[in-house]
Amino acid sequence: SEFNKKNTFYLFNHVDITIMYHSGKDENWPGARLVMARLRPQSYKHTDENNLSCEGPPMEIPGEFTNKLNLIYTYSVTFEEKNNIKWASRWDYILESMPHTNIQWFSIMNSLVIVLFLSGMVAMIILRTLHKDIARYNQIDSSEDAQEEFGWKLVHGDVFRPPRKGMLLSVFLGQGTQIFIMTFITLFLACLGFLSPANRGALMTCAVLLWVLLGTPAGYVSARMYKTFRGEKWKTNVLLTALLCPGIVFADFFIMNLILWVKGSSAAIPFGTLVAILAMWFGISVPLTFVGAYFGFKEKPIEHPVRTNQIPRQIPEQSFFTKPLPGIIMGGILPFGCIFIQLFFILNSIWSHQMYYMFGFLFLVFIILLITCSEATVLLCYFHLCAEDYHWWWRSFLTSSFTAVYLFIYAVHYFFSKLQITGTASTILYFGYTMIMVLIFFLFTG
C-alpha cells in the first residue's frame, strides 16, 4: 500500500540484517555459532546523513525527475539468540522457504499415470497376444492342421541377425551401463543424505569417482555384446569403449575451460585438476575397462533361442508409423513427459543458483524414467516386429535415447525464455555444458 503512487519509482536503499546464533548452551563447543540469517530490503527516505534511523516514509523518485539527487544507502544488523535451532539443521530454513513441493507431487502423479498406461499396454500384449500365440503354436505341434505364420513369427529366422555398425552399438551399450550404475549409486547416496545440498561439489565429485571406478561393467557389457554380434576387431572395441564418449566429454569440457581461462573467470578449473582427471581416466578407468572386456570376451556369446537364416528376408513396405524415424520420435515423448518438471528445477539449480535438495523426488523420477524408457521400447519393438521389420537392435536403443533430443530442445527453450545471458562466451558455455548433459543422457536412456 505504501508503494503505489502513480508515475513514481521507489528505491530500496536499506537492508535489515537479522543474524540468529546458537549460544552454545548445553553443547560441547566454545563460543557461539551462527545458525541463520535473514535479509529484508526496505525503503526509507533519509534526510540527514548524521542522524539515520530505520523508519520514515519510503524513498520516492518522481517519474520525471531532472535534478541531482543524493542517495544514502544504509543497513542495520540485529543479533538474536536462537538455541532451539540445532547446528546440524541450520540449512533447513532455506529449504523450507522454497515453494514447489506441490508441483513436485503433481509431476510425480503425472509420471505415474504414464507408467501405469504403458505397463497396462505391455502387460496386455505379453499376456494376451503372445500367450495366445504361444499356446496356439504348442497345439499346432500336436495337431496336423498347421496354420500359416503371421506377424512377428514370420521374422523369427532373422530377428537375431547382427545389426549394422554393431561395434558402435556395443560401445554405446557399455558406456550407457557405466553411466546408469553411476547415476543410480549417486542418487541413492544423495537420497540417504550423504551428499549435502549445501556442498554443491560433493555430487559432482561422487559422480566422477564412481564413473572412474565403474570401467569394468562398461568393458564387460561392450565386449559381450560385440562377441554376440560376431565381431572380430576386439582391440578396437575395447579402445573405443574406454576412450570414445569420455573423450568427447573431456574435449568439450576442455574447450569450455579454455574460454573461462581466456576470460579470467574464477569458475575455470586449475590445470592441476585437469591433469588429475586425466590421470584418473587413463590410470584407473581405462585399465578397469580392459579388465571388464577381458572377462566379457572370455564368456560365451549370448545364446539365441532360434537359428538365424542364411538369406535375409525381404522387409515388406512399411506404414508411416512403423518406419524407423516416426517410431523413434514418438518413443522419446513419453519418457520426456515424466522428467520435464524435474528438469526445470535442475536447470534452475545449475544456471540460476537455486538450491536443489529434492533428491527423494529425483530418485523416484529416475526409477519412473527407467520403467518408461524400457516399456516404450518394448511396445514399439513389438509393433515393428508385427510389421515384419526385424531391424530392431539400433531402433530399440534410439527409441528411448531420443529423449535426449527433447532434453536439448527444452534446454534451448529454457535459454531463450528464462535466462538473460548476453555475450558470445556465455552462450557458448551454456550450450557446451548442455551438450555434455545431452550426450550422457543419450547413453543413459539408450
Side-chain angles (χ1 to χ4, degrees), residues 10-72:
Y10 291 93
L11 182 78
F12 282 75
N13 57 344
H14 178 87
V15 186
D16 276 334
I17 305 173
T18 313
I19 294 178
M20 286 83 159
Y21 63 92
H22 191 302
S23 65
K25 202 175 82 176
D26 307 328
E27 300 286 350
N28 297 334
W29 66 67
R33 286 188 177 182
L34 306 184
V35 287
M36 189 167 169
R38 281 194 198 274
L39 308 182
R40 286 192 61 190
Q42 306 279 13
S43 177
Y44 297 128
K45 189 166 190 176
H46 301 300
T47 45
D48 182 8
E49 205 173 318
N50 302 319
N51 186 18
L52 298 169
S53 68
C54 299
E55 53 194 27
M59 179 72 209
E60 303 171 352
I61 303 173
E64 285 84 30
F65 190 79
T66 49
N67 306 339
K68 278 197 173 176
L69 182 66
N70 276 339
L71 293 176
I72 300 172

Side-chain angles (χ1 to χ4, degrees), residues 323-397:
K323 282 188 176 143
L325 204 60
I328 289 168
I329 291 171
M330 284 188 300
I333 291 175
L334 287 172
F336 182 73
C338 293
I339 60 158
F340 79 98
I341 293 181
Q342 283 295 333
L343 196 59
F344 172 73
F345 291 119
I346 291 170
L347 288 176
N348 270 354
S349 79
I350 297 173
W351 300 109
S352 303
H353 299 286
Q354 291 186 11
M355 232 10 165
Y356 191 89
Y357 60 94
M358 298 166 282
F359 293 115
F361 280 121
L362 191 61
F363 192 66
L364 206 55
V365 170
F366 171 81
I367 302 295
I368 289 172
L369 175 68
L370 285 188
I371 299 169
T372 317
C373 283
S374 319
E375 291 184 344
T377 308
V378 168
L379 267 179
L380 284 156
C381 267
Y382 175 76
F383 294 146
H384 293 312
L385 291 175
C386 282
E388 298 174 35
D389 181 353
Y390 51 83
H391 294 309
W392 65 277
W393 290 103
W394 266 108
R395 200 178 293 181
S396 67
F397 184 88

Side-chain angles (χ1 to χ4, degrees), residues 180 285 361:
F180 161 63
S285 182
F361 280 121

